[in-house]
């Protein structure tokens, strides 16, 4: 007798899931992901999934209550889920087949295994990381991170990649602390970044404001992990890295707009915004007027 193999799910290739999903994804991150992170939000009803084995660690955050049947140890079991429940499905482990008979909304977050260890490599032996499967649990921090990411992507799109990466790093550290077979103690450093490392990081940021900066590449300049870099940078500067980058972009935009040689859309691109509408929204938040109005005043 041939044993049916679990379906291999790759969160980085959402098109391969379409054969199971009756409705299209409402939100999804770029196929390439953000440094090993993938995001999707969708609403579905009356569909089923076979046993699966994901390539990534998958965190599912439910946004409404529903009933489901899961096939566990060869038997179907009914489960009731609420809008505060989450599921954690580790990479390369088998997740049970499931049947949904009601409409449900859920967020999927996919984390590459390499990313989990990269965010805190000073404390973690990559070979020792094994995440424990959770078919149904309650975790307010994970729920908050998921809903925050959804809101940020809906309102700011892909311009928020640095902020998104910072939130995902927090999620990865949380998984290591609370859902690993080996309980890792993530060291906390104080005192801020050494002055020379801070100077190098700030110079790199200002030299690359037109690029899609990532937390991982800025942290690499300081030669520490993204998790520690974010904590120490905030201690040194009083604001998080993504907030500092936004502040620098707005200040650079003010300088360029005041020269009146470039259009607003050209300035938005030169300071790293992919969307002129998002640039206008952020500029008005910091300065109190739109870029166009600021340009006319100078």
């Amino acid at each position: 007798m041939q044993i049916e193999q679990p379906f291999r799910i790759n969160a980085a290739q959402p098109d391969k899931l379409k054969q199971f999903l009756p409705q299209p994804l409402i939100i999804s991150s770029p196929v390439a992901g953000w440094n090993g992170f993938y995001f999707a939000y969708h609403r579905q009803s009356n569909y089923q999934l076979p046993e699966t084995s994901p390539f990534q660690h998958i965190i599912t955050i439910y946004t409404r209550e529903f009933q489901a049947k899961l096939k566990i140890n060869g038997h179907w079991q009914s489960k009731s889920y609420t809008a505060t429940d989450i599921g954690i499905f580790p990479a390369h482990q088998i997740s049970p087949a499931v049947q949904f008979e009601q409409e449900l909304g859920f967020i999927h977050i996919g984390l590459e295994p390499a990313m989990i260890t990269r965010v805190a490599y000073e404390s973690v032996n990559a070979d020792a990381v094994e995440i424990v499967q959770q078919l149904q649990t309650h975790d307010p921090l994970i729920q908050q991170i998921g809903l925050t990411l959804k809101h940020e992507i809906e309102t700011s799109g892909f311009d928020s990649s640095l902020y998104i990466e910072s939130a995902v790093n927090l999620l990865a550290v949380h998984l290591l602390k609370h859902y690993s077979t080996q309980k890792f103690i993530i060291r906390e450093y104080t005192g801020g970044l050494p002055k020379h490392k801070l100077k190098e990081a700030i110079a790199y940021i200002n030299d690359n404001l037109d690029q899609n900066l990532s937390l991982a590449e800025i942290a690499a300049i300081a030669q520490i992990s993204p998790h520690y870099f974010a904590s120490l940078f905030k201690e040194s500067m009083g604001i998080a890295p993504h907030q500092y980058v936004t502040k620098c972009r707005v200040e650079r935009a003010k300088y360029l707009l005041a020269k009146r040689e470039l259009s607003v859309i050209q300035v938005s691109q030169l300071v790293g915004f992919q969307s002129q509408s998002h640039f206008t929204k952020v500029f008005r938040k910091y300065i109190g007027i739109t870029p166009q109005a600021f340009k006319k005043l100078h």
Side-chain angles (χ1 to χ4, degrees):
M1 181 178 69
Q2 185 177 7
I3 299 176
E4 186 175 347
Q5 296 297 313
F7 181 75
R8 295 285 283 161
I9 288 182
N10 189 344
Q13 298 175 311
D15 285 349
K16 292 189 176 181
L17 290 175
K18 287 183 178 178
Q19 59 183 295
F20 299 109
L21 303 177
Q23 301 295 328
L25 300 178
I26 298 172
I27 304 172
S28 63
S29 60
V31 172
W34 289 296
N35 290 307
F37 156 69
Y38 310 93
F39 180 95
Y41 169 69
H42 47 126
R43 289 192 295 266
Q44 305 291 343
S45 61
N46 299 323
Y47 83 105
Q48 61 183 31
L49 284 173
E51 283 190 341
T52 55
S53 178
F55 287 96
Q56 296 86 12
H57 301 299
I58 304 296
I59 296 92
T60 302
I61 301 159
Y62 304 107
T63 59
R64 61 189 303 171
E65 62 181 40
F66 64 94
Q67 294 281 128
K69 291 181 179 178
L70 284 74
K71 194 173 186 180
I72 301 172
N73 297 325
H75 301 284
W76 288 99
Q77 300 179 19
S78 295
K79 280 186 173 289
S80 298
Y81 288 81
T82 71
T84 59
D85 286 334
I86 66 165
I88 299 174
F89 305 96
H92 312 302
Q93 294 185 30
I94 296 175
S95 301
V98 60
Q99 295 179 350
F100 303 100
E101 297 177 354
Q102 296 171 276
E103 183 177 84
L104 67 155
F106 48 94
I107 293 165
H108 276 160
I109 297 174
L111 301 177
E112 295 286 353
M115 186 211 172
I116 293 284
T117 54
R118 185 176 69 233
V119 297
Y121 56 69
E122 289 95 338
S123 299
V124 175
N125 175 4
D127 296 332
V129 175
E130 183 180 349
I131 303 299
V132 179
Q133 187 178 86
Q134 306 286 327
L135 298 180
Q136 182 182 26
T137 190
H138 181 66
D139 190 310
L141 179 59
I142 293 179
Q143 184 192 27
Q144 179 187 355
I145 291 173
L147 295 175
T148 299
L149 289 172
K150 176 177 176 289
H151 174 75
E152 191 66 25
I153 294 169
E154 285 175 330
T155 57
S156 303
F158 304 136
D159 280 333
S160 296
S161 58
L162 187 60
Y163 172 82
I164 288 166
E165 191 180 355
S166 300
V168 173
N169 272 272
L170 175 61
L171 174 60
V173 170
H174 186 71
L175 289 176
L176 285 171
K177 283 183 175 180
H178 300 285
Y179 297 100
S180 174
T181 54
Q182 179 179 333
K183 298 305 178 185
F184 296 101
I185 299 174
I186 308 299
R187 289 178 293 176
E188 298 296 337
Y189 293 122
T190 59
L193 284 166
K195 289 184 178 179
H196 70 283
K197 290 184 181 290
L198 180 63
K199 184 177 179 180
E200 289 173 353
I202 288 174
Y204 182 83
I205 289 169
N206 282 284
D207 288 344
N208 293 275
L209 286 177
D210 60 328
Q211 302 298 312
N212 188 18
L213 289 166
S214 77
L215 184 64
E217 68 185 69
I218 301 172
I221 299 299
Q223 298 181 317
I224 57 177
S225 75
H227 169 63
Y228 297 122
F229 175 80
S231 298
L232 296 178
F233 185 94
K234 185 173 183 179
E235 190 165 349
S236 293
M237 300 298 293
I239 56 176
H242 70 272
Q243 293 171 318
Y244 180 79
V245 169
T246 299
K247 182 180 177 181
C248 289
R249 285 178 166 151
V250 170
E251 289 301 316
R252 179 74 58 84
K254 285 170 59 180
Y255 170 76
L256 294 173
L257 289 167
K259 293 178 69 175
R260 305 185 69 176
E261 296 172 358
L262 301 170
S263 67
V264 172
I265 190 168
Q266 287 174 318
V267 171
S268 71
Q269 292 169 347
L270 285 172
V271 297
F273 286 90
Q274 299 181 38
S275 161
Q276 184 182 345
S277 62
H278 186 228
F279 168 58
T280 299
K281 176 183 174 183
V282 171
F283 191 91
R284 181 161 46 193
K285 177 182 176 181
Y286 276 77
I287 308 303
I289 58 175
T290 67
Q292 190 65 46
F294 182 89
K295 185 178 180 181
K296 288 180 180 178
L297 291 173
H298 292 78

